[in-house]
Amino acid sequence: NGVANSNLIAAVDNEPFSAQSRYKDLLNTFQLSLPSLSHLPSFRPISATDVFCNRELRFDNLRAIGFDMDYTLAQYQQPGFDKLAFDGAKEKLVHSLGYPEEVLDFEYDHAYWVRGLIIDTQRGNFLKIDRHKYVRMAYHGFQPISSNMRKYLYSRTFNKVPSFTEKYFVNMDTLFQHVDAHLFASLVEMKDYGEHEFLDGKTYEEIYRQVRECVDLCHRDGVIKDEVARNPEKYLVIDKGLLPMLRGFRKAGVKVFLLTNSYWEYTQTAMNYLYHEKKVDGELEKKNEWLELFDLVVVGSCKPAYLTDPYLNLFRVVPEDGSLRNTDGLFEIEALGEDGAAKFLAQGKTFQGG
């Protein structure tokens, strides 16, 4: 510890020390020699644009790279974007499902949540587990659960290891779920500490299901995306590196595709804004110049249902007016014979559906 501390002080007070000097005492102790240490940089800066992965990936072996749009190519301003879903879901819970009026007073805090948590919808709990599926931390609503209670509920026994795969466990693996989590936690607190017969008659699982339905409806009925389309500069983040990245992949011979659950009207608005770095209307919008970034575009893609349902319809989108035309998908490609896929895409590379 003394050696580590002195090295740390040296790095802060003076020039960054080399890897060779950092491990000198350890190597001497075990009489080891590692010549390669002298070639390591003395300082490795880390930036917000660094990409970390847990497996090796050869990019030069990739033939195609696909992107989602929402929260991937299109980044959203926080907390403004999430508040559209949060406030819209509150309205639906109160005015459509009969929840107490006090629900409208809930305030959203996007900084409270991180991805990687698990929601126990059956108990109203939020869990942080490690790679061994041990629950390191647990909250009930916004209240921490004691160590003894946490271990009683979730610790493994000699013949049973929790899998957290049951249907009442929900993985918070997308930023969209932060809204669900905060609204659910707020309702758990209201059910536990408020005096509302309406909530007393509901299970935590039922409350979560209705929260999920209301948030999902906000994404489908225009509460969120209509507002973003009206004011994209208020909700969408301009990324100066986006276009050079996509063009770089295509220049390198990699096929690039866009696969999003958002429908054409919204995708067109968002991608035009990101492409031109401003809101565009009229003829410029209809040109859809952003399509030059992709070899294939699929909107309204029904992820992940298309992976299991072979009967989902696939339509070709006419970019100029957004109209849809029937296709026979794979059957049409096969009917076109040699190079059927290329011939199929030559008729239009923008599609909607599964």
Side-chain angles (χ1 to χ4, degrees):
N1 288 341
V3 172
N5 289 337
S6 63
N7 283 344
L8 180 61
I9 293 171
V12 174
D13 292 344
N14 304 303
E15 293 297 319
F17 50 89
S18 67
Q20 187 76 38
S21 63
R22 181 184 301 134
Y23 300 110
K24 179 179 178 181
D25 292 332
L26 180 64
L27 293 171
N28 288 339
T29 299
F30 293 97
Q31 298 182 346
L32 295 174
S33 175
L34 293 176
S36 60
L37 282 178
S38 61
H39 302 298
L40 294 178
S42 59
F43 180 67
R44 170 65 168 88
I46 297 177
S47 75
T49 59
D50 283 351
V51 177
F52 299 91
C53 63
N54 57 8
R55 58 172 292 177
E56 188 176 284
L57 179 64
R58 292 275 312 245
F59 265 70
D60 54 354
N61 289 337
L62 297 182
R63 297 172 57 191
I65 298 177
F67 295 90
D68 194 359
M69 184 179 73
D70 298 301
Y71 277 124
T72 304
L73 297 183
Q75 296 294 322
Y76 292 100
Q77 301 279 4
Q78 294 297 350
F81 179 76
D82 279 1
K83 276 180 62 63
L84 293 175
F86 189 79
D87 293 342
K90 289 191 305 182
E91 294 281 343
K92 288 176 169 56
L93 286 169
V94 173
H95 299 307
S96 299
L97 299 180
Y99 276 68
E101 290 281 338
E102 290 89 334
V103 169
L104 298 174
D105 297 328
F106 289 165
E107 293 292 334
Y108 178 63
D109 180 6
H110 75 287
Y112 195 87
W113 305 97
V114 295
R115 283 177 292 182
L117 303 179
I118 291 177
I119 305 175
D120 181 348
T121 64
Q122 196 175 67
R123 300 184 177 95
N125 296 343
F126 297 83
L127 316 176
K128 176 65 176 177
I129 69 173
D130 63 19
R131 62 178 178 172
H132 304 293
K133 297 185 178 179
Y134 178 78
V135 179
R136 293 286 180 181
M137 187 179 299
Y139 275 66
H140 180 71
F142 294 111
Q143 308 304 316
I145 296 175
S146 69
S147 176
N148 288 337
M149 179 58 69
R150 170 172 54 83
K151 292 175 182 176
Y152 174 77
L153 292 174
Y154 300 110
S155 284
R156 65 182 69 191
T157 61
F158 72 95
N159 62 350
K160 182 180 178 182
V161 177
S163 66
F164 300 104
T165 57
E166 293 84 355
K167 64 179 181 180
Y168 56 86
F169 287 114
V170 176
N171 292 307
M172 286 180 59
D173 50 12
T174 74
L175 293 171
F176 286 112
Q177 290 166 303
H178 291 188
V179 172
D180 300 31
H182 201 83
L183 193 49
F184 182 49
S186 301
L187 287 168
V188 168
E189 299 270 304
M190 177 177 279
K191 174 178 169 63
D192 290 350
Y193 304 111
E195 296 181 1
H196 301 283
E197 290 187 14
F198 179 85
L199 292 176
D200 292 340
K202 291 184 177 294
T203 64
Y204 295 122
E205 204 164 0
E206 184 181 3
I207 292 173
Y208 178 81
R209 177 175 55 79
Q210 293 182 329
V211 165
R212 177 87 286 278
E213 289 171 354
C214 289
V215 174
D216 187 55
L217 184 56
C218 288
H219 285 279
R220 291 187 283 111
D221 68 2
V223 166
I224 298 172
K225 293 184 175 178
D226 285 356
E227 172 60 20
V228 176
R230 283 190 293 268
N231 301 289
E233 63 282 346
K234 184 177 178 181
Y235 299 103
L236 286 166
V237 177
I238 296 296
D239 182 353
K240 296 291 186 181
L242 177 61
L243 271 59
M245 175 192 71
L246 295 173
R247 286 172 175 150
F249 283 135
R250 296 197 70 192
K251 185 177 180 180
V254 178
K255 300 295 184 183
V256 180
F257 64 92
L258 176 66
L259 184 69
T260 175
N261 280 353
S262 293
Y263 287 104
W264 171 252
E265 292 77 9
Y266 180 73
T267 302
Q268 177 187 42
T269 299
M271 292 306 301
N272 265 316
Y273 178 77
L274 295 175
Y275 185 88
H276 294 285
E277 298 186 3
K278 64 180 181 179
K279 183 178 180 179
V280 297
D281 297 300
E283 292 304 315
L284 184 57
E285 182 180 35
K286 291 180 181 179
K287 286 182 179 179
N288 289 298
E289 295 174 312
W290 60 272
L291 287 172
E292 59 99 356
L293 302 170
F294 303 99
D295 296 282
L296 173 69
V297 173
V298 182
V299 302
S301 62
C302 304
K303 294 180 295 178
Y306 75 93
L307 294 171
T308 57
D309 187 348
Y311 302 106
L312 292 173
N313 292 320
L314 181 68
F315 301 95
R316 179 173 277 111
V317 178
V318 180
E320 291 75 19
D321 59 13
S323 62
L324 303 179
R325 296 183 180 174
N326 288 321
T327 78
D328 289 324
L330 183 61
F331 301 105
E332 187 174 336
I333 292 174
E334 293 174 347
L336 289 170
E338 187 177 356
D339 295 326
K343 295 175 182 176
F344 183 71
L345 292 177
Q347 301 172 35
K349 64 178 181 179
T350 309
F351 300 88
Q352 179 166 299

